[in-house]
Amino acid sequence: RVDRGPTPRTPSYTVSRVAVPITGVQAGANQLEASASYDDNDATAWENDGKLSTAWIAYELGKPAMITEVVLKLNRFRTRSYPLIITIDGKTVFRGDSALSLGYFTVHFPPVRGSRVRIQLDGRSSEKAKHQEKELSGKTLGDGVGNDASDKRVSGTLALIEVEIYGPVGNA
């Protein structure tokens, strides 16, 4: 609508966070697929081999940075809750269960400077909802990447579709 006048010359938003680049990754299992957890592609994912001892992944940052948020898109995000521990350079910034969601689960915490973010499963995940929702077309709504409900390893599996790490504006 042109009756509202010209487009404002200044942004109509305020930047509240900045992405902290991930430069490398180590995983407890399936190392070759680990980069799929931060490739900005919702059709790919990393998961461990179903053993709690390998249910961890660690992200290397290019340099130490202030970190205030970790955003996760966990596989089976509509139906499973994951007990997680997130550490930055060995300091625990989150210990708790992920919430069921329509995709992303955001963990906020006071700023911590570090260069390594580790996410690990702190026990077995649990099914919190039976997934029966359908789209208008009748197709069942998705719950992540390549899920097999009959897979008995699921409760010991940490499965990440996407991980994003953020810090405050002006992060250095």
Side-chain angles (χ1 to χ4, degrees):
R1 296 176 39 187
V2 293
D3 61 327
R4 292 185 180 188
T7 302
R9 294 188 188 277
T10 58
S12 59
Y13 59 88
T14 302
V15 176
S16 62
R17 64 184 189 177
V18 293
V20 177
I22 296 170
T23 59
V25 63
Q26 294 177 320
N30 299 323
Q31 178 66 38
L32 293 176
E33 288 82 36
S35 63
S37 68
Y38 67 99
D39 64 359
D40 204 23
N41 181 349
D42 283 354
T44 64
W46 167 84
E47 65 181 33
N48 70 314
D49 56 8
K51 299 174 186 168
L52 284 175
S53 62
T54 62
W56 63 269
I57 191 164
Y59 299 95
E60 300 295 332
L61 310 179
K63 59 183 180 180
M66 293 300 289
I67 303 167
T68 56
E69 293 178 34
V70 175
V71 180
L72 308 172
K73 186 168 190 181
L74 295 149
N75 212 359
R76 302 168 188 89
F77 51 83
R78 293 181 193 268
T79 57
R80 296 199 80 77
S81 179
Y82 295 82
L84 298 172
I85 299 173
I86 300 175
T87 61
I88 298 173
D89 288 354
K91 179 182 179 183
T92 300
V93 296
F94 176 80
R95 175 178 244 139
D97 294 340
S98 65
L100 299 183
S101 72
L102 297 177
Y104 289 90
F105 171 66
T106 301
V107 178
H108 300 275
F109 44 86
V112 175
R113 180 171 291 282
S115 60
R116 182 177 169 90
V117 177
R118 188 172 198 258
I119 302 165
Q120 73 181 64
L121 200 58
D122 187 29
R124 299 201 170 273
S125 67
S126 58
E127 186 174 55
K128 297 290 186 183
K130 295 288 183 191
H131 183 59
Q132 301 297 326
E133 298 172 33
K134 299 199 181 283
E135 293 183 18
L136 291 175
S137 67
K139 180 182 174 188
T140 300
L141 290 171
D143 193 28
V145 177
N147 294 328
D148 179 1
S150 67
D151 188 345
K152 301 298 182 211
R153 301 176 308 135
V154 168
S155 70
T157 300
L158 177 59
L160 296 164
I161 298 170
E162 213 57 48
V163 172
E164 299 167 355
I165 301 168
Y166 292 96
V169 175
N171 197 359

